[in-house]
Amino acid sequence: MTTITTNPIHSHSQSSQGGTIAIIKARMINGFRAISKQRARKRDAAHMSELSDHLLRDIGLTRDQIPHAVHGEIDVVRVATSEVFQTGRTRFAPPK
């Protein structure tokens, strides 16, 4: 007759170690994503800062609103298109 024994302490240790590794991996991935988002926001803010005041006004923003726009606090697309739908033209386009 063959007897199979398991060491519950050893198997528990391996599973908790795997869980710890999964937690560390998830935190690292989240950290990399946060860094990536931050870099994208900085890049977008730099690009928007290069726009002329006229172009910023045309999309419905002022310079001091750029940080809010890149953080998603202002819906730039909604701001820019709402006037187009209401008037049929952008704010600074010449009348038809």
Side-chain angles (χ1 to χ4, degrees), residues 12-27:
H12 174 72
S13 174
Q14 285 178 340
S15 67
S16 68
Q17 185 180 23
T20 303
I21 291 171
I23 291 170
I24 292 170
K25 181 179 176 183
R27 287 184 180 171

Side-chain angles (χ1 to χ4, degrees), residues 42-92:
K42 282 186 175 186
R43 182 191 63 236
D44 293 345
H47 286 217
M48 290 180 79
S49 294
E50 293 174 0
L51 295 175
S52 68
D53 289 336
H54 175 78
L55 287 175
L56 286 171
R57 280 192 310 257
D58 206 26
I59 61 172
L61 290 177
T62 59
R63 287 213 179 273
D64 59 333
Q65 292 175 318
I66 290 173
H68 301 287
V70 297
H71 280 88
E73 298 167 6
I74 298 174
D75 187 354
V76 178
V77 174
R78 184 186 52 78
V79 169
T81 58
S82 64
E83 189 170 338
V84 174
F85 287 125
Q86 292 172 5
T87 65
R89 63 187 185 91
T90 60
R91 188 178 311 173
F92 297 100

